[in-house]
Amino acid sequence: MIGLPSGTRVWLVAGHTDMRKGFDGLAAVVQTALASNPFDGHVFVFRGRRGDIIKVLWFDGQGLMLLAKRLERGRFVWPQAIDGRVALSAAQLSMLLEGIDWRMPTRTSSPQLAA
């Protein structure tokens, strides 16, 4: 994942998005459905109906960037909300992109006291 500048907000666009949309279509969704400006530097993440594809739209100051990822196995974890948006941290976005359940990550081991 490309490092995001500090202060960048990450928004999951709730519900399902038509994954045939490109730069302009997704920017229009941000403007109409979320009443946000797609050119303000925030990151907007969209998920398709099947749940195995996501698209990330981000304006880096020079132009819009559109990233897409398809999981070969499994589904991206998504909130149950039908409309609206959900805020994520950059760390949660990284987990989402790896196919990890970002809502309640668990440690693989517990810290132990020194003997």
Side-chain angles (χ1 to χ4, degrees):
M1 177 69 191
I2 297 169
L4 299 175
S6 63
T8 301
R9 303 288 307 262
V10 178
W11 298 104
L12 289 185
V13 180
H16 302 109
T17 303
D18 182 354
M19 288 289 104
R20 296 174 293 182
K21 293 181 188 272
F23 291 97
D24 297 330
L26 294 175
V29 170
V30 171
Q31 290 175 331
T32 57
L34 303 180
S36 293
N37 182 359
F39 303 103
D40 64 3
H42 296 314
V43 174
F44 299 94
V45 186
F46 305 85
R47 185 184 129 182
R49 182 167 301 281
R50 290 189 323 204
D52 63 339
I53 298 175
I54 60 171
K55 287 189 176 180
V56 179
L57 185 69
W58 177 42
F59 182 74
D60 66 355
Q62 296 177 333
L64 280 174
M65 185 179 306
L66 182 61
L67 306 168
K69 182 166 185 177
R70 181 184 71 202
L71 291 177
E72 295 301 321
R73 288 183 301 230
R75 302 283 181 257
F76 291 103
V77 175
W78 214 247
Q80 295 296 323
I82 302 299
D83 58 358
R85 59 186 176 186
V86 175
L88 293 183
S89 67
Q92 288 172 320
L93 175 62
S94 293
M95 286 185 277
L96 172 70
L97 291 173
E98 291 297 323
I100 298 171
D101 187 349
W102 54 270
R103 298 169 301 178
M104 290 193 303
T106 57
R107 295 188 183 275
T108 57
S109 65
S110 300
Q112 297 183 9
L113 297 175

